[in-house]
PDB file of all heavy atoms in Angstrom:
ATOM      1  N   THR E  20      65.476 105.609  97.455  1.00 92.00           N
ATOM      2  CA  THR E  20      64.054 105.712  98.030  1.00 92.00           C
ATOM      3  C   THR E  20      64.144 105.817  99.613  1.00 92.00           C
ATOM      4  O   THR E  20      65.300 105.587 100.155  1.00 92.00           O
ATOM      5  CB  THR E  20      63.233 104.553  97.645  1.00 92.00           C
ATOM      6  OG1 THR E  20      63.865 103.384  98.172  1.00 92.00           O
ATOM      7  CG2 THR E  20      63.035 104.474  96.200  1.00 92.00           C
ATOM      8  N   ARG E  21      63.032 106.129 100.155  1.00 94.00           N
ATOM      9  CA  ARG E  21      63.112 106.140 101.669  1.00 94.00           C
ATOM     10  C   ARG E  21      63.543 104.847 102.337  1.00 94.00           C
ATOM     11  O   ARG E  21      64.381 104.823 103.211  1.00 94.00           O
ATOM     12  CB  ARG E  21      61.621 106.511 102.196  1.00 94.00           C
ATOM     13  CG  ARG E  21      61.568 107.998 102.319  1.00 94.00           C
ATOM     14  CD  ARG E  21      60.186 108.325 102.853  1.00 94.00           C
ATOM     15  NE  ARG E  21      60.101 108.096 104.365  1.00 94.00           N
ATOM     16  CZ  ARG E  21      59.122 108.402 105.010  1.00 94.00           C
ATOM     17  NH1 ARG E  21      57.987 108.815 104.560  1.00 94.00           N
ATOM     18  NH2 ARG E  21      59.117 108.185 106.427  1.00 94.00           N
ATOM     19  N   ARG E  22      63.082 103.842 101.769  1.00 93.00           N
ATOM     20  CA  ARG E  22      63.467 102.391 102.202  1.00 93.00           C
ATOM     21  C   ARG E  22      64.953 102.266 102.105  1.00 93.00           C
ATOM     22  O   ARG E  22      65.529 101.696 102.988  1.00 93.00           O
ATOM     23  CB  ARG E  22      62.627 101.455 101.531  1.00 93.00           C
ATOM     24  CG  ARG E  22      62.728 100.092 102.162  1.00 93.00           C
ATOM     25  CD  ARG E  22      61.477  99.283 101.812  1.00 93.00           C
ATOM     26  NE  ARG E  22      61.796  97.891 102.093  1.00 93.00           N
ATOM     27  CZ  ARG E  22      62.311  97.006 101.239  1.00 93.00           C
ATOM     28  NH1 ARG E  22      62.553  97.398 100.070  1.00 93.00           N
ATOM     29  NH2 ARG E  22      62.584  95.812 101.506  1.00 93.00           N
ATOM     30  N   GLU E  23      65.505 102.587 100.939  1.00 93.00           N
ATOM     31  CA  GLU E  23      66.767 102.381 100.723  1.00 93.00           C
ATOM     32  C   GLU E  23      67.701 103.309 101.595  1.00 93.00           C
ATOM     33  O   GLU E  23      68.708 102.794 102.105  1.00 93.00           O
ATOM     34  CB  GLU E  23      67.135 102.690  99.227  1.00 93.00           C
ATOM     35  CG  GLU E  23      66.619 101.602  98.280  1.00 93.00           C
ATOM     36  CD  GLU E  23      66.743 101.951  96.816  1.00 93.00           C
ATOM     37  OE1 GLU E  23      66.788 103.287  96.544  1.00 93.00           O
ATOM     38  OE2 GLU E  23      66.876 101.119  96.032  1.00 93.00           O
ATOM     39  N   LYS E  24      67.189 104.479 101.814  1.00 94.00           N
ATOM     40  CA  LYS E  24      67.956 105.294 102.697  1.00 94.00           C
ATOM     41  C   LYS E  24      68.025 104.767 104.162  1.00 94.00           C
ATOM     42  O   LYS E  24      68.985 104.840 104.851  1.00 94.00           O
ATOM     43  CB  LYS E  24      67.256 106.721 102.833  1.00 94.00           C
ATOM     44  CG  LYS E  24      67.693 107.634 101.697  1.00 94.00           C
ATOM     45  CD  LYS E  24      67.013 109.000 101.837  1.00 94.00           C
ATOM     46  CE  LYS E  24      67.331 109.856 100.497  1.00 94.00           C
ATOM     47  NZ  LYS E  24      66.247 110.761 100.413  1.00 94.00           N
ATOM     48  N   SER E  25      66.887 104.120 104.546  1.00 95.00           N
ATOM     49  CA  SER E  25      66.962 103.526 105.917  1.00 95.00           C
ATOM     50  C   SER E  25      67.950 102.401 106.002  1.00 95.00           C
ATOM     51  O   SER E  25      68.438 102.105 106.980  1.00 95.00           O
ATOM     52  CB  SER E  25      65.538 103.021 106.387  1.00 95.00           C
ATOM     53  OG  SER E  25      65.023 102.039 105.471  1.00 95.00           O
ATOM     54  N   TRP E  26      68.172 101.704 104.880  1.00 93.00           N
ATOM     55  CA  TRP E  26      69.176 100.756 104.912  1.00 93.00           C
ATOM     56  C   TRP E  26      70.525 101.382 105.060  1.00 93.00           C
ATOM     57  O   TRP E  26      71.408 100.778 105.770  1.00 93.00           O
ATOM     58  CB  TRP E  26      69.275  99.852 103.468  1.00 93.00           C
ATOM     59  CG  TRP E  26      68.127  98.670 103.470  1.00 93.00           C
ATOM     60  CD1 TRP E  26      67.017  98.818 102.620  1.00 93.00           C
ATOM     61  CD2 TRP E  26      68.165  97.614 104.153  1.00 93.00           C
ATOM     62  NE1 TRP E  26      66.338  97.621 102.897  1.00 93.00           N
ATOM     63  CE2 TRP E  26      67.084  96.863 103.794  1.00 93.00           C
ATOM     64  CE3 TRP E  26      69.023  97.023 105.090  1.00 93.00           C
ATOM     65  CZ2 TRP E  26      66.738  95.695 104.293  1.00 93.00           C
ATOM     66  CZ3 TRP E  26      68.817  95.716 105.602  1.00 93.00           C
ATOM     67  CH2 TRP E  26      67.660  95.051 105.134  1.00 93.00           C
ATOM     68  N   VAL E  27      70.815 102.471 104.298  1.00 94.00           N
ATOM     69  CA  VAL E  27      72.038 103.160 104.439  1.00 94.00           C
ATOM     70  C   VAL E  27      72.273 103.580 105.870  1.00 94.00           C
ATOM     71  O   VAL E  27      73.365 103.374 106.429  1.00 94.00           O
ATOM     72  CB  VAL E  27      72.123 104.286 103.483  1.00 94.00           C
ATOM     73  CG1 VAL E  27      73.437 105.126 103.720  1.00 94.00           C
ATOM     74  CG2 VAL E  27      72.079 103.774 101.938  1.00 94.00           C
ATOM     75  N   VAL E  28      71.222 104.108 106.503  1.00 95.00           N
ATOM     76  CA  VAL E  28      71.335 104.604 107.898  1.00 95.00           C
ATOM     77  C   VAL E  28      71.703 103.437 108.818  1.00 95.00           C
ATOM     78  O   VAL E  28      72.532 103.519 109.704  1.00 95.00           O
ATOM     79  CB  VAL E  28      70.025 105.253 108.333  1.00 95.00           C
ATOM     80  CG1 VAL E  28      70.068 105.552 109.943  1.00 95.00           C
ATOM     81  CG2 VAL E  28      69.933 106.596 107.678  1.00 95.00           C
ATOM     82  N   ALA E  29      71.004 102.282 108.556  1.00 95.00           N
ATOM     83  CA  ALA E  29      71.282 101.103 109.399  1.00 95.00           C
ATOM     84  C   ALA E  29      72.752 100.614 109.170  1.00 95.00           C
ATOM     85  O   ALA E  29      73.350 100.232 110.180  1.00 95.00           O
ATOM     86  CB  ALA E  29      70.292 100.015 109.043  1.00 95.00           C
ATOM     87  N   ALA E  30      73.234 100.629 107.942  1.00 92.00           N
ATOM     88  CA  ALA E  30      74.564 100.214 107.767  1.00 92.00           C
ATOM     89  C   ALA E  30      75.579 101.193 108.472  1.00 92.00           C
ATOM     90  O   ALA E  30      76.622 100.826 108.947  1.00 92.00           O
ATOM     91  CB  ALA E  30      74.831 100.246 106.222  1.00 92.00           C
ATOM     92  N   GLY E  31      75.201 102.466 108.564  1.00 92.00           N
ATOM     93  CA  GLY E  31      76.130 103.354 109.153  1.00 92.00           C
ATOM     94  C   GLY E  31      76.035 103.296 110.673  1.00 92.00           C
ATOM     95  O   GLY E  31      77.089 103.474 111.415  1.00 92.00           O
ATOM     96  N   ALA E  32      74.826 103.077 111.272  1.00 93.00           N
ATOM     97  CA  ALA E  32      74.693 103.040 112.713  1.00 93.00           C
ATOM     98  C   ALA E  32      75.240 101.623 113.273  1.00 93.00           C
ATOM     99  O   ALA E  32      75.560 101.559 114.437  1.00 93.00           O
ATOM    100  CB  ALA E  32      73.263 103.410 113.142  1.00 93.00           C
ATOM    101  N   GLY E  33      74.997 100.602 112.424  1.00 91.00           N
ATOM    102  CA  GLY E  33      75.345  99.295 112.939  1.00 91.00           C
ATOM    103  C   GLY E  33      76.686  99.175 113.632  1.00 91.00           C
ATOM    104  O   GLY E  33      76.820  98.710 114.717  1.00 91.00           O
TER     105      GLY E  33
END
Side-chain angles (χ1 to χ4, degrees):
T20 61
R21 272 183 75 179
R22 191 156 163 268
E23 288 172 334
K24 275 182 190 155
S25 62
W26 277 108
V27 172
V28 170

